[in-house]
Amino acid sequence: LQYYLSNINLVLEHNMAEIALALAVTSALTQYQAGREAKKGYESRAKFKALEGRVEGVKAKEQGIQALKDTQQLLASVSASAYSGGLEPNISGGSIENFITKNILQPGYGDFATARDNQLFIRMQTNAQVEDLLRAGREAKAQGVANALGTLGQGIANYQATRTPSTAPTTKTTTRTSGDFTRSTVPSARYGKVADSGTRFRSYGE
């Protein structure tokens, strides 16, 4: 009975080891897929951020173009007024040229330069944010792979440790409960001469 119970325990242990290994493989696959999905999520966010940056950059560029258009219109208006004699030769600023430079050209080019700087800043900021998101995606995937390998390695190690047979020595003990006890391996003088002995024993009749 003990022999059969031992075999049943071994079978159960082997089955449990295989189940544990299967669970470890499943968990490792889940962790790997989670890393991949996280990377895809970061890549999607990076694409959206890049698109958003381009939209903001276009807006800044349009603001710069509008500043130049406004400057051009003011120049045309002042030039037309000056040509028709609508402006005094000595206006505030000393002359018409100084008036145009200080009140039209400088503010207009200043607005254009500000819009251009904003466009450049938006582009740099967008590129940095996109790179951060892509880097986070790569790290997430690498972490998923590392977790999967760790789980799988631990599962394989546990499986091999469970499947390895015990090397402890076993001692077989037998008890003699029946048999022929009439035969003795000890020589006795009652039977006369002892084999391989030169000694002669005297009997009671001598």
Side-chain angles (χ1 to χ4, degrees), residues 49 120-132:
K49 179 60 66 175
L120 180 60
F121 174 76
I122 290 171
R123 183 185 304 169
M124 294 175 59
Q125 184 181 28
T126 300
N127 292 337
Q129 292 175 348
V130 168
E131 183 59 31
D132 289 341

Side-chain angles (χ1 to χ4, degrees), residues 42-124:
Y42 280 112
E43 288 176 348
S44 298
R45 291 173 58 185
K47 291 180 180 179
F48 178 78
K49 179 60 66 175
L51 179 60
E52 184 180 12
R54 285 195 295 269
V55 171
E56 295 297 327
V58 169
K59 289 181 180 180
K61 183 178 180 180
E62 290 178 349
Q63 290 176 357
I65 294 174
Q66 187 61 42
L68 292 178
K69 288 181 178 181
D70 294 340
T71 302
Q72 186 178 8
Q73 289 178 357
L74 288 174
L75 284 174
S77 176
V78 170
S79 298
S81 299
Y83 181 78
S84 63
L87 292 178
E88 297 181 359
N90 295 324
I91 59 177
S92 177
S95 64
I96 296 177
E97 290 78 7
N98 291 335
F99 176 82
I100 292 175
T101 300
K102 292 181 179 180
N103 295 279
I104 299 176
L105 294 179
Q106 289 182 355
Y109 284 118
D111 293 340
F112 173 77
T114 300
R116 183 183 58 188
D117 292 341
N118 290 338
Q119 182 183 4
L120 180 60
F121 174 76
I122 290 171
R123 183 185 304 169
M124 294 175 59

